[in-house]
Amino acid sequence: VKKLLIMLALSLALPHAHADDAATEMAQAANDFLADLTPEQKAKTTFKVEDAERKNWHYVPKDRKGITFKELSPSQRLLAHALLSSGLSHRGYGKTVSIMSLDEILKELEAGKGPIRDPELYYISIFGTPGGKNVWGWRFEGHHLSLNFTTAQGAVTSTTPSFLGTNPGTVKSGPRAGLRVLAREENLGFELVNALTAEQRKIAVIAEKAPADILNLPGRNDWTKPEGLPQSAMTEAQKAILTKLIHEYINRARPDVALQDWAKIEKAGLDKISFAWAGALEPGKGHYYRVQGQTFVLELDNTQNGANHVHAVWRDFAGDFGEDLLKAHYKTGHHAK
């Protein structure tokens, strides 16, 4: 009993993490980063929160707005990493920087034949004025990465769109052979589809061939419809795998924010979530899955480069870029800075 009382006292003494703590820490990290930039660098980095650039997201190698790691000094890069880690869990941060590092491997594999591959060609953009009750957001983006965060009324309101991709999906040679940055996202999908009975699989598998990419792409104005096997038709063991799979995506964000995202999904109804699969049921061949609920969709596609090129996205129907709460915010008469 004494031990339990001591543990309780310690837990009460520790600060409890909430979404408003996350917003405060993100704002502090963003302002620290901005304070270390030159006026010219700051002009490249900052935009109004209502700027059309806010929703101009993608994951392909292309010219973007914002400031790149390549343009930053060593101290500025450290502050950029502090901003990045303020929004991500340890695992999410590890996946992110590992994906950046894959561009160096891809550069060697392609030997100059493909687009420019550069692990420093990742952009930071800040929308609005960080801190307080302001509506503001930030984006970290480049090849195979698009991470978007929005805060309003002093709390984090959105962590989507959230896209992670890997090429190669599995590093097959060299000192990092065997690396699979998105291994859990793939493995849990295979675990779930192969845990289904033959009858369940007839419902869950919506196509023999996987699509060439995810379907809820940047710029798409309509959403996919729920397809496949509903969660309500799964066994308890299958439901547990599905829950792990969803958590793998939302846990890219820091734990306090991920809990908030999970609460939103639970409130909308876990029984309304569906799981759809297309393509091969084993690794090494093209495959795709989609998990879709009332408020969200997540997708994984691995078909390109001999099924060794993974795209994995998490999107919120109303909440991408914090749109749902932003609309409510504007209606109250508060205008974003």
Side-chain angles (χ1 to χ4, degrees):
V1 175
K2 183 178 180 181
K3 186 176 180 180
L4 286 173
L5 289 173
I6 292 172
M7 291 176 66
L8 177 61
L10 287 172
S11 68
L12 291 173
L14 292 172
H16 292 275
H18 299 286
D20 53 350
D21 298 328
T24 299
E25 291 173 20
M26 284 186 196
Q28 183 65 58
N31 284 320
D32 287 346
F33 175 64
L34 291 172
D36 208 44
L37 300 181
T38 66
E40 294 77 16
Q41 288 176 316
K42 189 173 181 179
K44 289 189 68 174
T45 305
T46 54
F47 305 83
K48 291 183 177 180
V49 75
E50 64 269 25
D51 196 300
E53 180 61 23
R54 180 80 176 104
K55 298 180 184 178
N56 182 26
W57 71 285
H58 219 298
Y59 48 85
V60 298
K62 68 170 189 173
D63 289 333
R64 290 170 161 83
K65 291 185 178 181
I67 193 164
T68 67
F69 266 74
K70 187 180 286 292
E71 300 169 84
L72 301 177
S73 69
S75 66
Q76 291 169 340
R77 293 184 190 195
L78 292 174
L79 293 171
H81 276 287
L83 173 59
L84 184 59
S85 64
S86 74
L88 299 173
S89 64
H90 292 305
R91 183 181 292 175
Y93 178 77
K95 289 180 181 182
T96 297
V97 295
S98 294
I99 288 169
M100 294 168 67
S101 75
L102 288 178
D103 256 23
E104 193 64 45
I105 294 173
L106 197 55
K107 182 178 180 180
E108 294 178 8
L109 291 173
E110 293 178 338
K113 295 179 182 178
I116 295 174
R117 307 298 187 185
D118 188 341
E120 295 183 337
L121 205 57
Y122 286 85
Y123 295 71
I124 299 170
S125 305
I126 296 175
F127 302 88
T129 304
K133 300 296 183 181
N134 297 322
V135 180
W136 73 280
W138 59 281
R139 179 176 71 206
F140 185 81
E141 189 172 86
H143 182 218
H144 277 156
L145 281 173
S146 185
L147 302 171
N148 298 271
F149 298 87
T150 306
T151 77
Q153 293 296 306
V156 176
T157 60
S158 174
T159 61
T160 59
S162 176
F163 178 95
L164 302 183
T166 55
N167 183 15
T170 301
V171 179
K172 296 188 175 181
S173 61
R176 300 178 73 191
L179 174 67
R180 292 177 63 212
V181 178
L182 299 179
R184 285 179 61 85
E185 287 85 344
E186 270 202 295
N187 292 348
L188 285 167
F190 278 120
E191 184 179 351
L192 180 53
V193 74
N194 285 298
L196 303 179
T197 66
E199 290 303 311
Q200 287 175 314
R201 204 172 292 142
K202 287 179 183 179
I203 302 170
V205 178
I206 58 174
E208 292 184 5
K209 184 178 180 181
D213 201 349
I214 57 174
L215 302 180
N216 292 287
L217 293 162
R220 178 168 177 162
N221 295 320
D222 60 324
W223 298 94
T224 52
K225 303 298 182 185
E227 294 183 275
L229 185 71
Q231 187 257 27
S232 57
M234 296 181 183
T235 66
E236 291 304 312
Q238 293 163 349
K239 289 177 183 178
I241 301 170
L242 178 62
T243 296
K244 284 183 183 179
L245 179 55
I246 296 171
H247 276 290
E248 193 60 34
Y249 283 76
I250 64 175
N251 286 346
R252 295 170 180 176
R254 48 186 288 159
D256 45 349
V257 176
L259 283 173
Q260 178 179 275
D261 287 333
W262 177 246
K264 183 177 179 181
I265 291 169
E266 279 192 309
K267 184 177 179 180
L270 297 181
D271 59 329
K272 296 180 176 65
I273 296 172
S274 61
F275 173 71
W277 184 276
L281 300 179
E282 68 279 344
K285 299 178 183 178
H287 54 276
Y288 163 92
Y289 67 71
R290 183 168 78 248
V291 175
Q292 186 160 343
Q294 297 293 293
T295 62
F296 76 97
V297 63
L298 62 87
E299 295 178 276
L300 182 142
D301 185 271
N302 187 354
T303 56
Q304 302 175 43
N305 300 97
N308 194 31
H309 183 153
V310 184
H311 288 174
V313 71
W314 166 269
R315 301 199 64 182
D316 187 300
F317 298 139
D320 272 2
F321 309 105
E323 287 182 284
D324 50 353
L325 292 177
L326 285 177
K327 289 176 183 177
H329 183 74
Y330 290 135
K331 285 181 180 178
T332 64
H334 300 288
H335 187 69
K337 292 184 180 180

